[in-house]
Amino acid sequence: MDDAPSEEITPISFTAIGDVPYNNEQRDGLIDIISRHNAIDPSEFVIHVGDIKPGAAECDETVYQDVSGILQTFEAPTFIVLGDNEYNDCADPQLGLEYWNKYFLHFNENWTFEPTVIYQPERAENFSWTERNVLFIGVNLVGSQVHDSLEWQNRLIQNGQWVKKLLEEQVNKVDAMVVFGHANIVEAGPDKFKPFTDLFRSAALTFGKPILMVQGDGHFWIKNKPWPEQNITRLQIDGRDTAVKITVDTSLDYPFSFDRHFLD
């Protein structure tokens, strides 16, 4: 970390949730999580890593409106990335995307958030900011079926190119990166994510500093290093009505720590 500024950098903690709510019970559970979260205020921001509804359910606009309203009751600034259930799994994916854009695009702007958030010109749903020597990036990385192979390929390439560009710009300014996306790109058909994964892994190797990739999709906890690039940790969160507090402390050789019981 030779390029790190000399001043002391304090850790940053944030909360990750996702794959919620899938039913009324989980909706109640999400409301309970938000209530407890607001009471103890443990995190500087919240990230929802996609899937605001079950994939089999109709993509009804009222669902998007309802979940948007619930998430806006977080006191901490809240970000969200697209999940496949509210977009790619819809009978009409384009309509699902229109609903998502109406209720969730630039969702963080419902709060005051001190760091400057930028958006990818080609993909307005992708966001990024830097804070305390950490680069944060959110991308539209959905799984499930490929409706349009050209759109799928272009989206993955644009995601990967943006991650690569930001890492190249920030390599001497940050000591770690956290990237948010919905899909399990390791176990859930890795070949179809190759246009993104190849760019991501190549950029990570050049960056050479710790990277955390936070995803939903699988509904059970995985924390591992699935690629030869050992600076990448991949985290699949539990999802449902659970939450994990993630702390990034760039003064440590391994800067990431995880607390799945902070709201107990």
Side-chain angles (χ1 to χ4, degrees):
M1 298 187 182
D2 295 336
D3 297 308
S6 57
E7 71 267 17
E8 183 178 344
I9 301 296
T10 55
I12 180 168
S13 293
F14 62 91
T15 297
I17 61 173
D19 301 288
V20 68
Y22 276 34
N23 51 43
N24 284 333
E25 183 180 358
Q26 287 187 14
R27 183 182 182 277
D28 292 342
L30 176 60
I31 291 169
D32 184 53
I33 281 175
I34 295 172
S35 177
R36 284 182 283 148
H37 198 276
N38 289 344
I40 64 174
D41 194 22
S43 298
E44 305 201 20
F45 68 91
V46 175
I47 175 72
H48 187 301
V49 290
D51 275 10
I52 60 164
K53 57 178 282 300
E58 185 180 345
C59 294
D60 188 307
E61 182 175 1
T62 60
V63 174
Y64 299 73
Q65 184 177 24
D66 179 57
V67 178
S68 177
I70 293 171
L71 293 178
Q72 286 182 53
T73 63
F74 268 115
E75 291 179 3
T78 301
F79 295 79
I80 187 168
V81 294
L82 270 155
D84 41 65
N85 290 2
E86 59 268 24
Y87 166 35
N88 202 42
D89 286 339
C90 296
D92 182 346
Q94 191 58 42
L95 183 61
L97 183 60
E98 288 176 14
Y99 290 155
W100 191 90
N101 284 337
K102 180 176 179 179
Y103 294 102
F104 294 106
L105 186 65
H106 300 178
F107 193 64
N108 50 285
E109 293 179 358
N110 287 296
W111 293 262
T112 299
F113 189 63
E114 192 169 311
T116 299
V117 178
I118 63 171
Y119 306 98
Q120 184 180 14
E122 299 85 355
R123 306 209 66 86
E125 70 272 25
N126 291 350
F127 55 82
S128 180
W129 76 93
T130 57
E131 184 176 5
R132 291 186 226 159
N133 286 14
V134 182
L135 171 64
F136 293 96
I137 305 176
V139 292
N140 173 2
L141 195 60
V142 299
S144 194
Q145 51 196 314
V146 180
H147 294 280
D148 179 335
S149 57
L150 182 60
E151 184 276 334
W152 184 275
Q153 178 106 348
N154 287 342
R155 174 162 39 84
L156 290 178
I157 290 173
Q158 286 172 340
N159 288 339
Q161 288 175 336
W162 200 48
V163 172
K164 179 175 182 287
K165 174 179 180 287
L166 291 170
L167 278 178
E168 288 173 348
E169 290 174 352
Q170 298 292 331
V171 64
N172 294 322
K173 302 175 185 177
V174 301
D175 291 322
M177 178 182 84
V178 181
V179 59
F180 306 112
H182 175 71
N184 181 330
I185 66 173
V186 180
E187 288 88 6
D191 288 350
K192 67 184 180 185
F193 297 107
K194 198 171 185 299
F196 171 80
T197 309
D198 285 354
L199 284 164
F200 174 59
R201 288 176 53 190
S202 174
L205 182 63
T206 303
F207 181 59
K209 301 174 185 180
I211 292 174
L212 177 65
M213 183 171 194
V214 183
Q215 59 157 89
D217 203 13
H219 303 203
F220 62 91
W221 185 266
I222 301 175
K223 183 173 80 71
N224 64 0
K225 296 187 175 186
W227 297 296
E229 297 77 20
Q230 289 294 289
N231 59 319
I232 307 174
T233 298
R234 184 274 300 254
L235 178 70
Q236 177 176 277
I237 66 170
D238 291 300
R240 305 181 303 278
D241 45 356
T242 68
V244 55
K245 181 170 74 169
I246 301 171
T247 299
V248 187
D249 183 349
T250 58
S251 71
L252 304 175
D253 288 340
Y254 185 76
F256 310 118
S257 60
F258 311 93
D259 184 352
R260 297 158 77 186
H261 304 288
F262 72 109
L263 293 179
D264 291 354

